[in-house]
Coordinates of all heavy atoms in Angstrom, one line a residue:
E7 N 25.8 -22.3 65.1 CA 26.9 -22.2 66.1 C 26.4 -21.8 67.4 O 26.8 -22.3 68.5 CB 28.0 -21.3 65.6 CG 28.8 -21.8 64.5 CD 30.0 -20.9 64.1 OE1 30.2 -19.8 64.8 OE2 30.7 -21.1 63.1
V12 N 24.8 -23.1 73.1 CA 23.9 -23.2 74.2 C 23.7 -24.6 74.7 O 23.7 -24.9 75.9 CB 22.5 -22.7 73.7 CG1 21.4 -23.1 74.6 CG2 22.5 -21.2 73.5
R17 N 25.0 -29.0 78.6 CA 25.5 -30.4 78.7 C 26.7 -30.4 79.6 O 26.9 -31.3 80.5 CB 25.8 -31.0 77.4 CG 26.3 -32.4 77.4 CD 26.5 -32.9 76.0 NE 25.3 -33.1 75.2 CZ 25.2 -33.4 73.9 NH1 26.4 -33.6 73.3 NH2 24.1 -33.5 73.3
R30 N 22.8 -39.8 94.5 CA 22.7 -39.4 95.9 C 21.5 -38.5 96.2 O 20.8 -38.7 97.2 CB 24.0 -38.7 96.4 CG 23.9 -38.2 97.8 CD 25.3 -37.7 98.3 NE 25.7 -36.5 97.5 CZ 25.2 -35.3 97.7 NH1 24.4 -35.0 98.7 NH2 25.6 -34.3 97.0
F37 N 16.7 -31.7 97.3 CA 16.4 -30.8 96.3 C 17.5 -29.8 96.1 O 17.8 -29.0 97.0 CB 15.1 -30.0 96.8 CG 14.4 -29.2 95.8 CD1 14.4 -29.6 94.4 CD2 13.8 -28.0 96.1 CE1 13.7 -28.8 93.5 CE2 13.2 -27.2 95.2 CZ 13.1 -27.6 93.9
R43 N 20.6 -22.7 91.2 CA 20.9 -21.3 91.2 C 22.2 -21.0 90.4 O 22.4 -20.0 89.7 CB 21.0 -20.7 92.6 CG 19.6 -20.5 93.2 CD 19.6 -20.0 94.6 NE 18.2 -19.8 95.1 CZ 17.8 -19.9 96.3 NH1 18.7 -20.2 97.3 NH2 16.5 -19.8 96.7
G47 N 22.7 -18.8 86.9 CA 23.8 -17.9 86.6 C 24.2 -18.0 85.1 O 24.9 -17.0 84.6
F67 N 12.9 -23.3 70.9 CA 13.9 -24.2 70.4 C 15.1 -24.3 71.2 O 15.6 -25.4 71.6 CB 14.2 -23.8 68.9 CG 15.0 -24.8 68.1 CD1 14.3 -25.5 67.1 CD2 16.3 -25.1 68.3 CE1 14.9 -26.5 66.4 CE2 17.0 -26.1 67.6 CZ 16.3 -26.8 66.6
I72 N 18.3 -27.0 75.7 CA 18.9 -26.9 77.1 C 18.3 -28.0 78.0 O 19.1 -28.6 78.8 CB 18.5 -25.5 77.7 CG1 19.4 -24.4 77.0 CG2 18.8 -25.4 79.2 CD1 19.0 -23.0 77.2
G79 N 22.1 -35.2 82.8 CA 22.7 -35.3 84.2 C 21.6 -35.8 85.1 O 21.9 -36.7 85.9
N91 N 10.6 -22.3 84.8 CA 10.5 -21.5 83.6 C 9.1 -21.3 83.1 O 8.8 -20.2 82.7 CB 11.4 -22.1 82.5 CG 12.9 -21.6 82.6 OD1 13.3 -20.7 81.9 ND2 13.7 -22.3 83.4
M92 N 8.3 -22.3 83.2 CA 6.9 -22.2 82.7 C 6.1 -21.3 83.5 O 5.4 -20.4 83.0 CB 6.3 -23.6 82.7 CG 4.8 -23.6 82.2 SD 4.1 -25.3 82.0 CE 4.1 -25.8 83.7
S94 N 7.3 -18.9 85.4 CA 7.8 -17.5 85.3 C 7.4 -16.9 83.9 O 7.0 -15.7 83.9 CB 9.4 -17.6 85.3 OG 9.8 -18.1 86.5
L118 N 14.2 -16.5 93.8 CA 12.9 -17.0 94.0 C 12.6 -18.2 93.2 O 13.0 -18.2 92.0 CB 11.9 -15.9 93.8 CG 11.9 -14.6 94.6 CD1 10.8 -13.7 94.1 CD2 11.8 -14.9 96.1
D163 N 8.7 -20.1 96.3 CA 8.4 -18.8 96.9 C 7.1 -18.2 96.3 O 6.4 -17.5 97.0 CB 9.5 -17.8 96.7 CG 10.8 -18.3 97.2 OD1 11.0 -18.2 98.5 OD2 11.6 -18.8 96.4
V167 N -1.3 -19.9 90.4 CA -2.5 -20.8 90.8 C -3.7 -20.5 89.9 O -4.1 -19.3 89.7 CB -2.9 -20.6 92.3 CG1 -4.0 -21.5 92.7 CG2 -1.6 -20.7 93.2
M168 N -4.3 -21.6 89.3 CA -5.5 -21.4 88.6 C -6.7 -21.6 89.6 O -6.8 -22.6 90.3 CB -5.6 -22.5 87.5 CG -4.4 -22.6 86.6 SD -4.0 -21.0 85.8 CE -2.3 -21.1 85.7
S192 N -1.0 -23.6 103.4 CA -0.3 -24.7 104.1 C 0.0 -25.8 103.1 O -0.4 -25.8 101.9 CB -1.1 -25.2 105.3 OG -2.4 -25.8 104.8
M200 N 7.5 -42.9 93.1 CA 8.3 -43.9 92.3 C 9.6 -43.3 91.9 O 10.7 -43.9 91.9 CB 7.5 -44.4 91.1 CG 8.2 -45.3 90.2 SD 7.1 -45.8 88.8 CE 8.2 -46.8 87.8
A215 N -7.2 -18.0 102.5 CA -6.0 -17.2 102.2 C -6.3 -16.0 101.4 O -7.0 -16.0 100.4 CB -5.0 -18.1 101.3
A233 N -3.3 -21.1 81.4 CA -2.8 -22.5 81.8 C -2.4 -23.3 80.5 O -1.4 -23.9 80.5 CB -3.9 -23.2 82.6
R241 N 5.0 -29.0 77.6 CA 5.0 -30.3 77.0 C 6.3 -30.5 76.2 O 6.8 -31.6 76.1 CB 3.7 -30.4 76.1 CG 2.5 -30.6 77.0 CD 1.2 -30.4 76.3 NE 0.1 -30.6 77.2 CZ -1.1 -30.1 77.1 NH1 -1.5 -29.5 76.0 NH2 -2.1 -30.4 78.0
L249 N 14.1 -37.2 76.5 CA 15.1 -37.6 75.5 C 16.5 -37.5 76.2 O 17.3 -38.4 75.9 CB 15.0 -36.7 74.3 CG 13.7 -36.8 73.5 CD1 13.7 -35.9 72.3 CD2 13.3 -38.2 73.2
A255 N 20.7 -43.2 79.3 CA 20.5 -44.6 79.5 C 21.1 -45.4 78.3 O 21.7 -46.5 78.5 CB 19.0 -44.9 79.6
D274 N 28.1 -56.5 72.6 CA 27.9 -55.7 71.4 C 28.3 -56.4 70.1 O 28.2 -55.8 69.0 CB 28.6 -54.3 71.5 CG 30.1 -54.5 71.6 OD1 30.7 -55.6 71.5 OD2 30.8 -53.4 71.8
A278 N 21.6 -59.6 67.3 CA 20.3 -59.3 67.8 C 20.3 -58.0 68.7 O 19.4 -57.2 68.7 CB 19.7 -60.5 68.6
T295 N 14.0 -35.1 66.4 CA 13.7 -34.3 65.2 C 12.3 -33.7 65.2 O 12.1 -32.6 64.9 CB 13.8 -35.2 63.9 OG1 15.2 -35.7 63.9 CG2 13.6 -34.4 62.7
M313 N -1.2 -28.6 68.6 CA -1.3 -30.0 68.2 C 0.1 -30.6 68.1 O 0.3 -31.7 68.5 CB -2.0 -30.1 66.9 CG -2.2 -31.5 66.4 SD -3.0 -31.7 64.8 CE -1.6 -31.1 63.7
Q335 N 17.1 -53.4 80.4 CA 17.1 -54.8 80.0 C 18.4 -55.3 79.5 O 18.9 -56.4 79.7 CB 16.0 -55.1 78.9 CG 15.7 -56.5 78.5 CD 15.0 -57.3 79.6 OE1 14.4 -56.7 80.5 NE2 15.1 -58.6 79.6

Side-chain angles (χ1 to χ4, degrees):
E7 288 186 6
V12 164
R17 185 177 290 173
R30 177 175 61 82
F37 191 36
R43 286 177 177 152
F67 194 103
I72 289 169
N91 271 266
M92 179 173 68
S94 300
L118 298 180
D163 304 280
V167 186
M168 307 305 148
S192 61
M200 175 179 176
R241 286 163 181 162
L249 300 184
D274 63 3
T295 301
M313 180 183 74
Q335 188 72 17

